[in-house]
Amino acid sequence: MKPLEHLTILDLSRVLACPFASMILAELGARVIKVEQPGSGDETRGFEPQLARDSAYYFACNRSKESITVNLRSAEGREIVRRLSAKADVLVENFPVGTLSRHGLDFATLSSLNPRLIYVSCTGFGQDGPYAHKKGYDTVFQAMGGIMSLTGERGGGPVKPGLPVADLTSGLWVAIAILASLAGREQTGSGCRVDFSMLDGQVSLLTLAAARYFALGEVPPRLGTEHPGRVPSATFRCKDGKYAHITASDQHWLPLCKALGLDGAGLEKNETRVAKRDEVMRALTGKISALKRAELIAKLDEADVPVGPVNDVAEILADPHVRARRLVGSFDYPGVGEFRALALPYKFLGFDDPEIAAPPALGEHTEAVLSGMLGYSAGEIAALREKRAI
């Protein structure tokens, strides 16, 4: 069995953050019923690149779910959601603040039908505060939350990371909140409301940067790939134009110097190397630039100094260690055939490992869920289609 296969998640979310969270739960065994708009569905189905009738973007965060189409603007559609909520363990939504309240699908209403319901709202700025009704996207939260201010080369402007960090980390925060709420429900017997703000999530990631600011009153600068409190910890360009990243603590310093043919005497303590950052980095850069990347990594691996190549996406997905860890799997999808995908990074002893299943076609499970879970007859389902409620 899988650890969450006793749970049912009603997923009213779209785009990336919450769909990523619910996909994690789905591949840990939960039954995830994704509610989508009839005719169009989650807007990411139309993103590029397109594959058959859907997109690679949709594939990336909606695997292993069921899809039903429900028109929340119709009374009949809202009744479907209420009836599903009465049977679900968790409801996840990321509508603008107040939207579901206007539809009678707020926490107070649904928890009166199901006191054990965990109701998770993921919004840009939370349910209260001066920004509650402000709109935002991943890069807005990165910018406002301080992440962008720390990213970029020395003396350069702010740079966004290469991935949608705000969306993806928000998905992880939401999954953690759901699991914590489920554990709490075991103690209280009651569900709860979770109010998660994506801006809050980004601010919470400042961790060490915030601790440094609280301790010293200094705003951390951009340092490229260098670490503000450790030297060396940086990316170096090698003779063949490839890059490697080296991070060395005090116990690695003299072995690093020996491997590179440097005299490291007097610099054994990190605080000394931080104080002489530019001098140390110049010396290392001079030696490393004369070595090809494979030579450098071989030397430092032999010296037991932490080092790794700066891989591009193709390189890491082909890496033998990643393959051995079974991080790349696949599923079959109509019109596409076999499509590769990343598996969850868990290996369980005592539970089955997560498995990859294909994402659902739009509305693929509408009739099965309405009839099997809610008891709608074929005639009632046909009437709902006629009214465009599904």
Side-chain angles (χ1 to χ4, degrees):
M1 63 175 293
K2 294 182 182 179
L4 302 183
E5 65 181 32
H6 59 297
L7 299 174
T8 297
I9 314 293
L10 188 58
D11 183 4
L12 272 64
S13 70
R14 58 217 185 278
V15 190
L16 180 51
C18 285
F20 182 53
S22 62
M23 186 185 76
I24 293 170
L25 303 179
E27 296 195 342
L28 290 173
R31 181 184 187 183
V32 176
I33 300 171
K34 184 177 178 71
V35 179
E36 301 188 68
Q37 177 68 21
S40 57
D42 189 318
E43 50 261 55
T44 62
R45 287 185 183 270
F47 286 9
E48 296 294 336
Q50 284 287 296
L51 298 165
R53 57 178 174 253
D54 285 312
S55 71
Y57 194 116
Y58 185 84
F59 284 6
C61 52
N62 288 287
R63 302 189 310 258
S64 306
K65 302 178 186 180
E66 299 172 42
S67 170
I68 66 172
T69 51
V70 178
N71 182 0
L72 298 184
R73 295 185 178 90
S74 71
E76 295 84 357
R78 294 191 292 272
E79 178 60 18
I80 290 171
V81 172
R82 281 190 282 269
R83 291 179 63 177
L84 288 170
S85 299
K87 294 178 174 290
D89 294 283
V90 180
L91 182 148
V92 183
E93 62 93 6
N94 61 353
F95 283 87
V97 173
T99 300
L100 292 186
S101 294
R102 291 192 294 273
H103 288 317
L105 300 175
D106 52 285
F107 172 67
T109 300
L110 298 185
S111 63
S112 69
L113 303 174
N114 179 3
R116 290 175 57 80
L117 182 67
I118 293 162
Y119 188 111
V120 182
S121 294
C122 170
T123 56
F125 299 94
Q127 299 296 310
D128 56 18
Y131 300 157
H133 294 279
K134 183 179 172 68
K135 301 296 189 296
Y137 287 100
D138 171 271
T139 46
V140 172
F141 306 131
Q142 287 186 39
M144 293 181 68
I147 303 296
M148 242 184 238
S149 77
L150 301 171
T151 308
E153 295 297 332
R154 288 197 202 192
V159 175
K160 78 174 185 67
L163 290 170
V165 171
D167 279 325
L168 294 173
T169 55
S170 291
L172 296 175
W173 281 125
V174 168
I176 292 168
I178 290 170
L179 296 174
S181 299
L182 289 165
R185 190 177 72 178
E186 291 298 307
Q187 305 301 313
T188 67
S190 300
C192 67
R193 171 76 182 278
V194 177
D195 169 14
F196 175 75
S197 153
M198 293 180 69
L199 178 63
D200 292 354
Q202 290 309 282
V203 175
S204 72
L205 295 177
L206 293 177
T207 53
L208 299 179
R212 186 177 182 87
Y213 173 74
F214 292 147
L216 303 176
E218 297 175 358
V219 176
R222 286 183 286 280
L223 291 173
T225 62
E226 295 184 46
H227 192 287
R230 179 185 290 173
V231 174
S233 180
T235 294
F236 296 87
R237 192 173 192 270
C238 301
K239 182 179 180 180
D240 52 6
K242 298 179 179 179
Y243 291 85
H245 190 88
I246 299 169
T247 293
S249 298
D250 287 349
Q251 69 266 32
H252 306 118
W253 173 246
L254 291 180
L256 170 64
C257 291
K258 182 178 179 181
L260 295 179
L262 284 170
D263 179 7
L267 294 168
E268 291 88 351
K269 293 296 183 183
N270 182 63
E271 61 190 48
T272 306
R273 298 194 299 275
V274 170
K276 297 184 176 182
R277 177 187 295 273
D278 291 344
E279 175 185 332
V280 172
M281 289 298 292
R282 279 195 299 270
L284 291 171
T285 298
K287 291 292 186 179
I288 291 169
S289 63
L291 296 170
K292 292 183 177 180
R293 186 170 71 178
E295 294 178 278
L296 172 68
I297 290 175
K299 283 178 177 288
L300 298 192
D301 278 347
E302 185 177 355
D304 205 25
V305 174
V307 61
V310 178
N311 289 318
D312 62 26
V313 173
E315 287 171 328
I316 190 57
L317 293 181
D319 186 278
H321 184 80
V322 169
R323 293 288 187 176
R325 294 289 295 170
R326 304 186 303 282
L327 280 169
V328 178
S330 66
F331 57 83
D332 289 319
Y333 196 80
V336 176
E338 184 182 23
F339 189 81
R340 290 185 298 165
L342 295 179
L344 298 188
Y346 303 115
K347 305 292 182 290
F348 288 104
L349 295 177
F351 288 109
D352 293 337
D353 289 339
E355 296 177 355
I356 295 173
L362 179 61
E364 179 179 346
H365 304 93
T366 302
E367 292 191 13
V369 169
L370 293 186
S371 61
M373 189 172 176
L374 300 183
Y376 281 84
S377 69
E380 289 172 319
I381 293 173
L384 289 171
R385 289 199 186 280
E386 182 68 23
K387 293 180 179 180
R388 298 186 178 179
I390 60 173

